[in-house]
Amino acid sequence: MIDTAKSMTVEKYKRFVSTGFLKKVQPIVIDRALGATVWDETGRPYVDLFSGISVVNAGHCRPEVIEAAAAQMRKLVHCNSYIYHNKPAADFAEALASIMPSPDLHVSFFGSSGAEAIEGAMRVAKQFTGRSEFVALEMSFHGRTAGTLSVTGNRNRKKKGGPYLPGVAFAPPPYAYRSPFSGDADSIGRQCAQAVERVIDTGTSGDVAAFIAEPVLGEGGIIVPPRGYFKQVKEVLDKRGILFICDEVQSGFGRTGTMLAIEHYGVVPDIVVTAKGIADGFPLSAFTTRKEIADAFAPGDHLSTFGGNPVSCAAALANLEVFRKERLADGSARKGSAALERLRGIAAKRASIGEVRGLGLMLGVELVSDREAKTPDAASAGKVQDRMLEMGYLVGVGGYHGNVLRLQPPLVIADEDLNRAIDALDEALDAV
Ligand SMILES: Cc1ncc(COP(=O)(O)O)c(C=O)c1O
């Protein structure tokens, strides 16, 4: 039977939606979703292991979030949260401050996308320090605007988009599995932190405003830096008065088993950027910083039309309440470590898996065609993703080499669903 609705939607995508920048759009038409399940237009359910790129952490269409947004929509959808005061923006700014790693970080600027908030953070870092340069990490990803691509360490994302901002230098990523340095993970972390110092001293003019990094590199392939890394880097930065912009866009909101991933590292950044999971699917982003840094902006320096939209802020507030009530970050830690153990068991019996890694429910399975040589196997990652889809599971693929399967389900996923998904992954790896 020809699925007419699906073929019409796919046909319209082909004709009217810009998708030339994608290898392919996944061949399903999603109609509705709840919790960790999405349904296509034929009514077939899929277990969602990707959360719309790590967004719906509290689950799809979370009733409390939807209710809060709907109630707000009936009262006020937009007024511009910078020209006029509104209660949802004020309340959510206060709530967001409460999840920061220090009470000093309590002033937020709101945008609509991760990239917009990163751009704002870069701008305020320049204004505050009076300096213009940045140090970022190779294999990082910070967004698709000109400024955020300038600090993104991935040629595949940047090609034909230049010239980029001058004054950006890149340090090696704290990626123990693939590193120019040798030794155990802690030693590699130390050497990578020393490399940040070297890059500042040799690759910049010394006019560095900020070091920007993701506490867990998401698009780079779920790279989890060794535990001492950020403390060692922060010491280097503090000696030079360089700010640390922590990009929690993907790793934040319980994804790694703590509200913010930087909590694993015991470091207080100068600016924290959040988006994605912030409002369970409603568009919102923020950078949050100390008052004196935020106050470096002078009248006219910054604004956003949709940033801090009352509906998104009402949704975000309800989302945070759900996190607190259901201790979703703790659940992410528990489910993630059980899943990691099972995945490591699967990796032990399979030469096609180079490494399994992750924190909480931010999990990566790196596929290789030669375990000794660590040859990245992007083709197999694509095939496993396709096979998983056929079996009724949505997984992500990423990594600098395109060879990392990404498991980042809604944090509310049922243990049985997660276990069944790992069984399915085992089967899909066999089939490929
Ligand atoms: C770590 C990180 N920073 C920034 C961004 C950009 O966010 P957005 O796509 O909302 O602009 C992303 C998106 O994937 C991300 O993963």
Side-chain angles (χ1 to χ4, degrees):
M1 187 181 79
I2 294 171
D3 177 356
T4 319
K6 174 176 165 179
S7 58
M8 293 250 317
T9 300
V10 171
E11 195 48 43
K12 283 183 190 174
Y13 252 68
K14 282 189 185 140
R15 287 190 62 196
F16 301 116
V17 181
S18 170
T19 55
F21 46 82
L22 294 162
K23 271 193 205 131
K24 66 170 183 201
V25 182
Q26 292 293 300
I28 58 170
V29 177
I30 294 183
D31 183 44
R32 66 195 169 92
L34 190 67
T37 308
V38 306
W39 286 265
D40 71 11
E41 285 192 324
T42 68
R44 182 180 177 196
Y46 297 80
V47 175
D48 186 1
L49 302 170
F50 203 29
S51 309
I53 323 188
S54 201
V55 169
V56 288
N57 292 4
H60 285 280
C61 293
R62 181 80 205 195
E64 298 92 325
V65 175
I66 301 302
E67 285 311 314
Q72 183 58 42
M73 272 194 273
R74 284 188 285 269
K75 277 172 68 176
L76 172 72
V77 170
H78 178 81
C79 62
N80 189 283
S81 294
Y82 296 103
I83 310 247
Y84 308 102
H85 298 94
N86 68 83
K87 185 168 158 43
D91 288 349
F92 183 59
E94 181 185 32
L96 187 56
S98 74
I99 66 158
M100 289 294 136
S102 159
D104 292 343
L105 301 173
H106 67 272
V107 180
S108 291
F109 168 83
F110 291 124
S112 306
S113 69
E116 186 186 5
I118 298 277
E119 288 275 2
M122 290 170 67
R123 179 93 191 270
V124 82
K126 284 187 184 177
Q127 308 264 117
F128 178 72
T129 58
R131 304 176 186 170
S132 64
E133 292 176 295
F134 291 93
V135 172
L137 293 179
E138 293 166 2
M139 299 194 186
S140 61
F141 180 75
H142 297 292
R144 306 273 185 180
T145 56
T148 57
L149 279 172
S150 300
V151 290
T152 286
N154 185 341
R155 185 181 65 174
N156 298 325
R157 300 286 166 268
K158 298 169 81 154
K159 58 181 188 289
K160 297 195 179 158
Y164 290 103
L165 290 180
V168 180
F170 289 90
Y175 185 10
Y177 179 67
R178 293 182 190 277
S179 178
F181 306 117
S182 55
D184 62 14
D186 287 337
S187 161
I188 288 174
R190 236 181 345 269
Q191 294 173 77
C192 288
Q194 285 159 4
V196 170
E197 183 159 35
R198 221 168 31 249
V199 166
I200 293 168
D201 292 345
T202 62
T204 76
S205 75
D207 193 42
V208 181
F211 166 76
I212 178 165
E214 303 152 80
V216 175
L217 287 76
E219 302 300 306
I222 319 290
I223 299 168
V224 183
R227 286 298 158 110
Y229 175 73
F230 284 107
K231 241 188 192 140
Q232 288 145 11
V233 169
K234 189 75 168 77
E235 278 166 23
V236 169
L237 303 179
D238 286 347
K239 274 193 285 182
R240 291 163 173 76
I242 296 170
L243 303 182
F244 172 25
I245 300 175
C246 183
D247 180 349
E248 292 268 8
V249 168
Q250 188 163 151
S251 57
F253 283 88
R255 176 55 55 199
T256 68
T258 47
M259 276 313 281
L260 298 173
I262 198 66
E263 290 171 45
H264 295 286
Y265 295 91
V267 163
V268 177
D270 299 285
I271 306 176
V272 172
V273 182
T274 47
K276 290 195 188 282
I278 192 169
D280 206 35
F282 287 84
L284 185 67
S285 64
F287 75 68
T288 306
T289 187
R290 300 194 296 274
K291 181 159 169 49
E292 76 265 24
I293 295 178
D295 285 351
F297 276 149
D301 282 350
H302 209 57
L303 199 131
S304 168
T305 296
F306 291 119
N309 170 272
V311 177
S312 291
C313 284
L317 198 59
N319 184 45
L320 255 190
E321 278 160 19
V322 170
F323 264 83
R324 288 217 172 94
K325 202 172 68 198
E326 298 189 1
R327 306 179 65 86
L328 291 186
D330 293 346
S332 167
R334 182 184 61 75
K335 292 173 195 177
S337 68
L340 192 61
E341 201 180 311
R342 282 206 63 203
L343 290 168
R344 286 202 168 126
I346 290 171
K349 58 174 187 163
R350 234 175 248 292
S352 59
I353 298 179
E355 191 180 52
V356 165
R357 53 184 175 257
L359 269 180
L361 284 171
M362 188 164 184
L363 299 161
V365 179
E366 175 153 3
L367 301 187
V368 290
S369 55
D370 179 333
R371 209 173 197 176
E372 280 295 297
K374 300 183 179 176
T375 315
D377 188 357
S380 290
K383 285 184 197 154
V384 171
Q385 184 184 41
D386 291 348
R387 183 73 197 112
M388 287 292 278
L389 185 77
E390 284 163 19
M391 292 196 287
Y393 299 90
L394 309 184
V395 302
V397 170
Y400 179 79
H401 300 288
N403 64 326
V404 179
L405 297 165
R406 293 162 64 189
L407 308 181
Q408 300 172 263
L411 310 183
V412 294
I413 189 169
D415 292 310
E416 315 83 75
D417 281 343
L418 191 52
N419 271 322
R420 265 203 303 273
I422 294 172
D423 292 340
L425 183 65
D426 198 15
E427 213 181 303
L429 284 159
D430 264 340
V432 169

